[in-house]
Amino acid sequence: MSQHRHQSLLKVISSSLIATSMEFCPAFKKFKRKDDEFRAFVKKVIMSRFFKLIMISSVGLNAFFTALWTSYDIRYRLFRLLEFSEMFFVSICTSELAMKIYVDPTEYWKDGYNMLDVVIFIIMFLPYVFRKFLGKQFTYLHITDGIQSLRILKLISYSRGIRTMITAVGQTVYTVASVLLLLFLLMYIFGVLGFCLFGSQDTGDYDNWGNLAVAFFTLFSLATVDGWTDLQKELDNRSLALSRAFTIVFILLASFIFLNMFVGVMIMHTEDSIKKFERELMLERKTTIMEQKQVILQRQQEEVSRLMHMQKNADCKSFSELVENFKKTLRHTDPMVLDDFGTSLPFIDIYFSTLDYQDMTIHKLQELYYEIAHVLGLMLEDLPQKPQPLENVDEK
């Protein structure tokens, strides 16, 4: 009875919480911020090249100082400088995180690279927290110091090329997993076979084939062709049968087929991602050009409208006179955009290609003309000469 009452109470509490959350979400969505201008300014600062350059430089300098920190002598001599650089980097990262969350507190958490920055931000404060609450003698404090090298991963969010490569790697997960599974099955088969053939304690190579775990490590060395001759020499010294055939067959299957298949899959998906990245860059350039074109058109329309309103107070009697007066004020550096077919980028591209084809055609026609002239010259040389008249012969 008490259990039934407890369950009903839980249902009432859960239903009330769900109803409260459902009421809160629409209210949160309808909430309008009153700092749109300042938020737009902060967003403009975050998206600016100067801010990105500051962040990239900060991450690079922090990586350099971290490399210096690994030397005990340099750490002792430059302790104040390293401490100041650490405080500066933490301040920069904290400001960046606060600015990004301030601009868009809801959409920020939907980006995977932003979540990576949050994880790095948490890792950044782990050594301070452990030293504060667990003391400097904490057992795993050196691990928290070591994972500070992950700070350099903040460059990923500011490098589009690196993000393209990560996307390519992510697209190969299922294919690569299939290849690695096949390689694991092959190593399992040859591991058990190698243990049975060469794992004897008396006559076999027990150090390299004594159990399945050791056999897996040996097969990995054979697959990477790293020191496989030394492993084969150990088997040859014990005169084990089928050892060379075993080694050759495994290296052919593992190294020449499966590992090359793995590399081929990575290269294919990387090329696809690079092509997609180039298409996106081309689309962004076209969008930027169109935006600039629209800005120029809008500016010119406003200028013409202003001149139309000034026509009443001006000395111009007609619109043509107004246009003539407007032409006199133009300079050769003034941007003039004509919104027609002749100024579109595809038309200009086709026009230049057509000019190239015309040049090639004219060049070929000239070559053909020279060949015709040469052939006609040869034909004239081969024609029989006309005999001279007899009267001319007698006179001579």
Side-chain angles (χ1 to χ4, degrees):
M1 187 68 179
S2 60
Q3 184 178 2
H4 178 71
R5 290 180 179 177
H6 181 67
Q7 290 179 354
S8 61
L9 181 61
L10 287 177
K11 289 180 180 180
V12 171
I13 294 174
S14 61
S15 61
S16 61
L17 289 175
I18 293 173
T20 305
S21 62
M22 292 297 290
E23 293 177 357
F24 176 74
C25 289
F28 183 76
K29 291 180 179 179
K30 293 179 181 178
F31 176 75
K32 293 182 179 180
R33 299 177 60 170
K34 299 180 180 180
D35 54 348
D36 293 336
E37 295 182 359
F38 185 71
R39 183 175 59 171
F41 172 75
V42 175
K43 185 176 181 180
K44 185 178 180 180
V45 171
I46 294 174
M47 300 301 295
S48 63
R49 293 184 178 180
F50 182 70
F51 183 81
K52 293 180 180 179
L53 182 62
I54 290 176
M55 292 304 303
I56 293 173
S57 302
S58 301
V59 176
L61 285 175
N62 183 259
F64 175 72
F65 285 124
T66 302
L68 295 179
W69 175 81
T70 57
S71 175
Y72 289 101
D73 295 335
I74 297 176
R75 190 192 307 181
Y76 178 77
R77 286 183 293 176
L78 302 178
F79 176 76
R80 294 297 180 186
L81 178 61
L82 295 176
E83 188 177 15
F84 174 77
S85 66
E86 179 71 13
M87 294 173 61
F88 175 76
F89 181 74
V90 172
S91 302
I92 288 289
C93 292
T94 305
S95 302
E96 179 209 16
L97 182 66
M99 291 170 68
K100 288 184 176 180
I101 294 178
Y102 172 77
V103 169
D104 200 344
T106 55
E107 296 294 330
Y108 177 83
W109 308 99
K110 297 180 181 179
D111 190 355
Y113 296 108
N114 290 338
M115 296 304 299
L116 177 63
D117 290 342
V118 172
V119 172
I120 295 173
F121 184 78
I122 295 173
I123 291 173
M124 196 185 305
F125 284 93
L126 287 181
Y128 305 102
V129 174
F130 287 171
R131 285 187 174 90
K132 181 69 175 177
F133 295 100
L134 301 177
K136 295 182 179 181
Q137 304 300 325
F138 181 59
T139 306
Y140 301 104
L141 188 61
H142 62 284
I143 297 178
T144 60
D145 291 333
I147 61 176
Q148 298 304 311
S149 58
L150 296 175
R151 296 178 179 183
I152 200 170
L153 294 180
K154 284 186 68 66
L155 291 174
I156 294 176
S157 58
Y158 294 99
S159 175
R160 194 168 183 177
I162 297 177
R163 294 200 302 269
T164 303
M165 297 300 297
I166 292 176
T167 303
V169 173
Q171 292 175 352
T172 61
V173 170
Y174 297 105
T175 307
V176 169
S178 301
V179 175
L180 293 179
L181 179 60
L182 289 174
L183 182 61
F184 174 78
L185 295 177
L186 180 70
M187 292 180 66
Y188 175 78
I189 294 171
F190 276 81
V192 175
L193 185 60
F195 169 76
C196 296
L197 294 176
F198 318 124
S200 176
Q201 294 183 0
D202 299 330
T203 59
D205 186 4
Y206 185 78
D207 294 335
N208 295 320
W209 302 95
N211 54 63
L212 190 60
V214 175
F216 260 80
F217 185 80
T218 304
L219 289 173
F220 183 79
S221 300
L222 292 177
T224 56
V225 200
D226 181 21
W228 71 275
T229 53
D230 297 333
L231 295 173
Q232 182 59 39
K233 189 179 293 184
E234 293 290 335
L235 297 177
D236 291 339
N237 292 335
R238 292 171 174 78
S239 301
L240 295 173
L242 303 176
S243 62
R244 294 192 175 185
F246 178 89
T247 303
I248 292 172
V249 171
F250 181 77
I251 290 177
L252 287 175
L253 292 176
S255 180
F256 289 88
I257 295 178
F258 285 98
L259 291 183
N260 288 330
M261 188 186 303
F262 174 81
V263 174
V265 168
M266 294 295 296
I267 291 174
M268 289 173 57
H269 286 275
T270 303
E271 289 180 351
D272 295 338
S273 297
I274 291 174
K275 291 179 181 178
K276 183 180 178 181
F277 175 66
E278 291 176 351
R279 289 194 297 268
E280 290 177 355
L281 285 181
M282 185 66 67
L283 182 61
E284 286 184 0
R285 292 194 190 101
K286 291 181 179 180
T287 304
T288 304
I289 292 173
M290 291 301 297
E291 289 177 355
Q292 294 176 355
K293 180 179 177 181
Q294 293 296 328
V295 171
I296 295 173
L297 284 173
Q298 185 177 1
R299 189 190 311 143
Q300 291 180 354
Q301 289 174 0
E302 292 176 356
E303 185 68 19
V304 172
S305 299
R306 186 179 63 83
L307 291 173
M308 289 290 293
H309 288 293
M310 291 175 59
Q311 183 182 7
K312 297 179 180 180
N313 300 326
D315 297 333
C316 303
K317 297 180 180 180
S318 62
F319 181 75
S320 59
E321 293 181 2
L322 181 65
V323 173
E324 292 298 327
N325 293 333
F326 178 69
K327 287 181 179 179
K328 293 178 182 179
T329 62
L330 294 177
R331 296 172 296 179
H332 68 281
T333 57
D334 291 335
M336 295 294 292
V337 178
L338 302 177
D339 193 11
D340 56 4
F341 179 74
T343 57
S344 62
L345 292 177
F347 173 78
I348 295 173
D349 189 13
I350 295 172
Y351 179 69
F352 285 152
S353 301
T354 305
L355 291 180
D356 294 336
Y357 287 133
Q358 287 180 356
D359 294 338
M360 293 173 59
T361 304
I362 293 173
H363 180 68
K364 291 181 180 179
L365 288 174
Q366 289 178 348
E367 291 181 351
L368 182 60
Y369 172 76
Y370 292 146
E371 291 181 1
I372 292 172
H374 179 66
V375 171
L376 290 176
L378 294 177
M379 292 175 65
L380 290 175
E381 291 178 359
D382 294 339
L383 287 176
Q385 297 181 357
K386 293 182 179 181
Q388 296 181 356
L390 294 176
E391 297 177 356
N392 296 336
V393 176
D394 294 338
E395 290 178 358
K396 292 181 180 180

